[in-house]
Amino acid sequence: MTLPQEIAAVIAKDLRVEWRARAQVMALVAFAAVVLMLFSFAVGPDSTMLAKHAGGYLWLAMLLASTLSLARSMQTEVETGALEAMLLAPLRAPAIFYGKALANLAVLLLVALVAVPVDLVITGAGVQDPLSLLAVLALGAGGIAAPGTFYAALTARVAGRQLLLPLLLFPLLVPALLASVKATSLAMSGDAMGQMSSWLILLLCFDLIYWSLCGALFEKVVES
Amino acid sequence: MTRASYARTRTVGLALVVLGMLVMAVGHGWGLFVAPREAMMGDVGRILYVHVPTAWGALVFYLVGFVAAIGTLWTGRRIFDASTTAWVEVGTLMTMLLLIQGSIWARPTWGTWWTWDPRLTTSAVLAMSFGVVLLLRRLIDQAGRRSMATAVATIVATVNVPIVYKSVEWWNSLHQPMSSRESIDSPMWMPLMITSLGVTLLGIGLATLRTLIELSRLLAEEAAPELPELPDRLSLTRPEESP
Amino acid sequence: MTPSTQRRIFLAVSLLVAGSALTVIAGGGIGENLVYFWTPAELHQNSDKAVGATIRLGGVVQANSVDWKMEEQHLSFTVGEAAVDEATPVRVTARGAPPQMFREGIGVVVEGTMLDEGVFQADKVMVKHSNEYRAPTEGTDPQTLYATVEEL
């Protein structure tokens, strides 16, 4: 098999797993929606405040939901010995990484698909620039998926991984999170200073770094 | 490592620590009593002589840790694993001190304990990411996996630093550009150099001692009688016990 | 191609991609567009967009413009393009005590929003202290600067 074929096979496998455990995906989506509700409770019924921070709430909900889905997706591989099986198949390590990361990205986008409307309804924010918002969602979720898959693999066998994964992940995601929140706010409330394209380019650069670096180091992680 | 070389290295480490502290004492004496007051900030500005060397130390020590981490992945040798931990630990100590000093300085000059200044925020992220590396290391029992995880996490955290710095700079900014030779008057430059040298020596000494400790730990762990490995996963179906 | 050559090529390409993306971030000049704050003149040009949006304004505190009401914890002052700015001064109001270094003629950055009546309501006032560390010139005692602030 060529590398793209291997990646496609891993994606197909992962999505099939998600589909068969679709109740879990539903629970994940519900979790994101509940987190959004809780943010509004924490802030109070101040509609201007809520609308102002709608982008921030959205990405925090995405981030919290992602740590759950990422941990689970790697958990199944390690617990059942599927990771060894894939390596023996033989699939190349980068193929496993990119396949799993892309599948995780798909799940995150599904979460976003529900979280965005919920966020808009709860906070009363509008969308000025839907096309840019879609781009931000894709790039931002990409920024979470690659390092997330990577660190989920690194911590899959460690005791206390449920705590360790978010701890490892959050500092790493700071740049992607900041850029995503800023760009989302611009897409929602209007781009007064004409900065959208810059934020998108930045997000793309972050993604390129995470996806290439994590892909290169993944082999070391699964080898040991 | 022989017992003699261990003792020798430890002496060198201890000597560096003492020397570093002496040099720092000289530098701080100069900074507190000889150097003039800073024009805008007055005596508050003297924290410069503590703060800038700490920042310098933190960055340099992490960088050494990063190089050692690459060494671990490349060669897999124990000494690199031990020194990665040592340098990251000393760097984390410096970053913690840096955060505290920064807050103390920010209060009188910026009027707040904390602002989302790129350097402050990056320092916080720095402390977080490397602190977690040390935590991760503690939680893994199996030696090979532990050295790999430490090295990989150190590398990723290091690469992340400039990205965080840049992104925070764009996200929110009220920052001073980096201090350089040109923006500091010469009577203030000398004590700064001396204290920086002191911090560097102290850091090298501490990291040397810490490397020795970690190395001994790793050796002791290897020498310990091998225990039967626990099953990595529980099989879903237990084999039926024959009656 | 043997697997190990493949691996090496993959590693090289990855590092190349990551390196070039880092270069773009560090030196690509994307940040130029993501300006830190508007000057008073820029604020006047974009006054239609400024109302309601979170913006940052940077400038110099004008002489004789600071009004600090201790009892009400209410601070107001005028920010201009330069030390003396007749054309585009902006009145700023804020709650809470001014930072210790705050005084007339110093650079400040305020974050907040423009109100309809043309007053900038700041959530946060920060003194933009420069990174120049200078020995004091003849005849100025640094400590007097603090005294000036306390009198405000």
Side-chain angles (χ1 to χ4, degrees):
Chain A
M1 278 203 285
T2 62
L3 197 67
Q5 280 175 323
E6 288 182 21
I7 294 174
V10 176
I11 297 176
K13 173 201 78 80
D14 263 34
L15 291 182
R16 204 151 51 229
V17 170
E18 297 292 350
W19 174 247
R20 287 184 186 160
R22 46 193 176 275
Q24 297 218 30
V25 182
M26 301 258 280
L28 193 71
V29 171
F31 174 78
V34 168
V35 168
L36 283 171
M37 299 271 274
L38 289 176
F39 279 131
S40 354
F41 291 153
V43 173
D46 181 343
S47 56
T48 48
M49 197 72 156
L50 281 171
K52 200 165 133 188
H53 298 299
Y57 301 145
L58 175 69
W59 282 102
L60 281 181
M62 290 279 287
L63 199 59
L64 292 174
S66 77
T67 57
L68 298 178
S69 78
L70 292 164
R72 190 170 50 83
S73 117
M74 208 37 103
Q75 198 80 359
T76 42
E77 303 289 354
V78 173
E79 269 178 4
T80 58
L83 193 61
E84 283 94 335
M86 280 197 282
L87 285 168
L88 290 170
L91 291 181
R92 277 161 282 195
I96 299 176
F97 172 73
Y98 288 116
K100 289 203 74 70
L102 286 169
N104 282 328
L105 175 61
V107 173
L108 277 178
L109 285 177
L110 189 72
V111 173
L113 213 62
V114 177
V116 170
V118 172
D119 188 44
L120 292 177
V121 170
I122 289 177
T123 61
V127 178
Q128 309 274 343
D129 189 354
L131 226 65
S132 299
L133 183 63
L134 284 179
V136 176
L137 286 175
L139 290 173
I144 297 176
T149 309
F150 181 74
Y151 270 139
L154 193 73
T155 57
R157 288 170 212 267
V158 182
R161 56 184 160 264
Q162 296 90 340
L163 268 174
L164 207 55
L165 175 62
L167 277 179
L168 275 167
L169 204 51
F170 290 165
L172 194 63
L173 292 183
V174 166
L177 189 68
L178 294 184
S180 301
V181 170
K182 276 279 182 186
T184 307
S185 296
L186 290 180
M188 284 179 172
S189 64
D191 187 5
M193 295 183 183
Q195 299 175 338
M196 180 55 97
S197 58
S198 301
W199 285 118
L200 287 179
I201 293 171
L202 274 183
L203 265 176
L204 186 67
C205 286
F206 297 154
D207 278 4
L208 284 176
I209 294 171
Y210 292 147
W211 283 79
S212 57
L213 198 65
C214 293
L217 286 172
F218 190 74
E219 188 154 30
K220 289 281 174 194
V221 173
V222 290
E223 254 176 19
S224 67
Chain B
M1 191 164 52
T2 62
R3 189 165 290 213
S5 74
Y6 180 92
R8 223 178 306 125
T9 319
R10 195 177 58 177
T11 316
V12 171
L14 283 171
L16 280 171
V17 169
V18 173
L19 186 65
M21 290 212 248
L22 285 176
V23 172
M24 275 169 77
V26 171
H28 284 307
W30 191 328
L32 282 174
F33 303 113
V34 182
R37 278 176 175 171
E38 207 274 327
M40 287 288 279
M41 288 178 285
D43 281 333
V44 175
R46 292 187 198 276
I47 201 170
L48 179 79
Y49 308 122
V50 187
H51 197 59
V52 174
T54 313
W56 149 262
L59 288 180
V60 171
F61 300 156
Y62 279 143
L63 221 55
V64 180
F66 172 66
V67 173
I70 292 178
T72 312
L73 286 192
W74 205 277
T75 66
R77 288 184 58 190
R78 221 186 277 113
I79 178 75
F80 285 114
D81 186 32
S83 43
T84 307
T85 317
W87 287 102
V88 168
E89 236 172 67
V90 179
T92 307
L93 172 73
M94 288 290 158
T95 319
M96 300 283 182
L97 290 174
L98 189 70
L99 286 173
I100 297 168
Q101 296 161 4
S103 278
I104 294 173
W105 199 4
R107 182 66 194 161
T109 49
W110 292 339
T112 164
W113 292 109
W114 186 264
T115 69
W116 293 102
D117 163 84
R119 263 185 278 166
L120 256 74
T121 313
T122 310
S123 312
V125 175
L126 212 60
M128 255 201 284
S129 21
F130 285 99
V132 174
V133 173
L134 297 173
L135 194 66
L136 176 73
R137 186 179 173 80
R138 294 242 151 177
L139 290 172
I140 306 179
D141 297 324
Q142 202 248 322
R145 210 176 280 156
R146 182 178 53 214
S147 70
M148 177 278 303
T150 314
V152 164
T154 305
I155 291 172
V156 174
T158 313
V159 173
N160 197 36
V161 172
I163 311 178
V164 171
Y165 183 80
K166 276 302 191 181
S167 60
V168 180
E169 194 175 77
W170 293 322
W171 169 64
N172 188 4
S173 176
L174 172 81
H175 77 291
Q176 314 151 253
M178 201 67 102
S179 297
S180 64
R181 179 68 187 83
E182 286 74 40
S183 62
I184 298 175
D185 269 6
S186 48
M188 299 174 177
W189 185 246
M190 251 335 258
L192 202 56
M193 290 306 288
I194 298 173
T195 45
S196 299
L197 179 69
V199 166
T200 313
L201 291 172
L202 179 68
I204 296 174
L206 287 176
T208 309
L209 294 176
R210 185 64 183 86
T211 307
L212 282 182
I213 296 171
E214 191 65 24
L215 210 51
S216 325
R217 262 192 207 161
L218 293 177
L219 288 168
E221 190 183 85
E222 274 165 42
E226 214 160 297
L227 296 169
E229 206 182 322
L230 288 169
D232 202 46
R233 62 194 93 92
L234 298 168
S235 53
L236 292 170
T237 51
R238 286 174 185 281
E240 293 296 318
E241 274 177 44
S242 48
Chain C
M1 252 195 307
T2 62
S4 79
T5 357
Q6 256 183 11
R7 210 170 290 163
R8 242 170 253 150
I9 292 172
F10 179 74
L11 186 69
V13 172
S14 309
L15 290 181
L16 200 70
V17 171
S20 37
L22 261 177
T23 320
V24 171
I25 291 174
I30 314 168
E32 317 271 300
N33 187 24
L34 308 172
V35 279
Y36 304 149
F37 46 76
W38 275 345
T39 65
E42 282 170 311
L43 181 62
H44 278 275
Q45 280 164 21
N46 298 289
S47 51
D48 50 327
K49 295 177 193 162
V51 177
T54 304
I55 41 176
R56 274 190 303 280
L57 168 73
V60 182
V61 180
Q62 302 293 290
N64 303 321
S65 74
V66 179
D67 177 25
W68 163 232
K69 293 195 189 75
M70 177 85 90
E71 300 76 38
E72 297 151 46
Q73 291 282 302
H74 184 271
L75 174 71
S76 65
F77 53 92
T78 307
V79 166
E81 199 79 9
V84 180
D85 182 4
E86 302 286 327
T88 57
V90 179
R91 192 73 188 162
V92 179
T93 66
R95 292 190 57 79
Q100 218 177 341
M101 295 283 290
F102 184 86
R103 61 193 164 79
E104 285 163 3
I106 204 166
V108 290
V109 177
V110 291
E111 191 178 73
T113 191
M114 211 62 191
L115 299 178
D116 285 326
E117 54 266 36
V119 176
F120 190 95
Q121 191 184 42
D123 302 324
K124 200 159 194 187
V125 179
M126 290 178 282
V127 171
K128 190 150 173 60
H129 125 67
S130 75
N131 75 322
E132 299 194 348
Y133 301 99
R134 296 275 175 241
T137 46
E138 291 280 318
T140 53
D141 180 8
Q143 297 301 329
T144 56
L145 294 178
Y146 288 106
T148 347
V149 176
E150 276 150 24
E151 277 161 22
L152 284 174

